[in-house]
Amino acid sequence: MKDLNITTNIQVYQYSELVEEDKILVDKAKAMTDKSYAPYSKFHVGAALLLSNGKIVGGSNQENAAFPSSLCAERTACYYAHSKYPDATFVKLAIAAKFEGKFTKNPVSPCGACRQSILEYETLAKHPVKIYLYGEDGVYVVSKVADLLPLCFDSFQE
Ligand code: THU
């Protein structure tokens, strides 16, 4: 028996420390929280995806009375982006969330299903998707979504 230790490097930035391109992406994710349809959870999530063609695609969570039919902000953005620009690579993804009119203090983190969905595009393009998780107290930056999915399932793996 031996131990296998998997570590994830997370860079923690203050918003003011981000470069302009990243501030724009985070600002878009924050703005997208206002487009969220979340009458049930009242947790308003916004996502912004920077593509290799320079476009920024936004998404927000869309809830449904039949709860499992709802969709998270990240997947809304990813599926829209890959439908509209199938040849573009995903470069960066920012996420923010608002509850009771305030952005969360702690960075909001994608659910497992969203991590798996983002991984699909990361693997497809063989290009890392840099992730920005916004919180009022700091922004977590992870260099690729695979880092958020240790031992991830990837059908292209040998
Ligand atoms: N949600 C997202 O949109 N993204 C996440 O990363 C976590 C959760 C949504 C799903 C649901 O509409 C609400 O937030 C509460 O879970």
Side-chain angles (χ1 to χ4, degrees), residues 38 41 43 45 61 63 70-74 95 108-111 114:
S41 72
F43 193 69
V45 186
N61 56 329
E63 297 186 347
S70 307
L71 196 65
C72 293
E74 298 89 322
I95 307 159
V108 59
S109 203
C111 75
C114 285

Side-chain angles (χ1 to χ4, degrees), residues 6 52 73:
I6 301 175
S52 55

Side-chain angles (χ1 to χ4, degrees), residues 26-38 42-48 58-62 73 95-99 101-104 108 134:
V26 166
D27 289 349
K28 175 73 176 177
K30 291 172 75 177
M32 286 307 296
T33 61
D34 291 330
K35 310 271 190 211
S36 151
Y37 175 65
K42 309 212 185 308
F43 193 69
H44 300 272
V45 186
S60 59
N61 56 329
Q62 300 294 315
I95 307 159
K98 216 191 268 167
F99 185 67
K102 287 190 192 142
F103 288 105
T104 57
V108 59
Y134 179 80

Side-chain angles (χ1 to χ4, degrees), residues 25 48-52 74 78 88-95 110 114-133 141-148:
L25 197 67
L49 190 57
L50 174 66
L51 304 177
S52 55
E74 298 89 322
C78 289
T89 298
F90 294 4
V91 180
K92 295 177 178 178
L93 174 69
I95 307 159
C114 285
R115 293 175 197 209
Q116 185 70 35
S117 298
I118 303 160
L119 180 72
E120 182 76 17
Y121 300 107
E122 192 168 89
T123 310
L124 178 70
K126 296 188 175 59
H127 188 283
V129 184
K130 200 168 178 181
I131 313 274
Y132 296 73
L133 309 176
V141 181
V142 182
S143 58
K144 56 185 187 303
V145 77
D147 287 348
L148 293 177

